[in-house]
């Protein structure tokens, strides 16, 4: 089982370097340590940033902070029973 707090922290650290506000997922790519291949892992959950982009609805852009963006990601992953 994935640790939501651990995943949330990994994502915040990966996305916090973006130039906020962001208006699309593409605004995040330059901030990611390994670009779209940046991987988030916890327990039996493992997904790259690119995979996240394809699995999620696309978000409610614009976002003013990494925390707001990640909160939506984690909520949607939970809603889809991925974590």
């Amino acid at each position: 089982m994935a640790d939501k707090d651990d995943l949330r922290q990994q994502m915040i650290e990966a996305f916090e370097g973006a130039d906020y506000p962001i208006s699309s997922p593409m605004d995040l790519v330059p901030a990611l340590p390994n670009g779209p291949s940046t991987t988030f892992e916890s327990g039996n959950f493992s997904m790259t940033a690119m995979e996240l982009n394809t699995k999620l609805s696309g978000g409610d852009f614009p976002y003013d902070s990494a925390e707001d963006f990640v909160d939506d990601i984690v909520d949607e992953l939970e809603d889809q029973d991925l974590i």
Side-chain angles (χ1 to χ4, degrees), residues 14-44:
F15 297 133
E16 68 186 352
D19 191 16
Y20 288 88
I22 57 170
S23 57
S24 79
M26 294 309 295
D27 292 342
L28 297 164
V29 174
L32 295 171
N34 295 316
S37 298
T38 299
T39 303
F40 305 102
E41 299 178 307
S42 179
N44 61 351

Side-chain angles (χ1 to χ4, degrees), residues 1-3 5 7 17 19-20 22 28-31 36 38-39 42-43 46 54-55 60 64 66 68 71 74 76 83:
M1 178 169 222
D3 179 334
D5 291 332
L7 278 175
D19 191 16
Y20 288 88
I22 57 170
L28 297 164
V29 174
T38 299
T39 303
S42 179
S46 178
T54 63
K55 298 264 186 213
D60 188 21
D64 292 323
D68 292 342
D71 285 346
V74 171
E76 193 163 342
I83 58 172

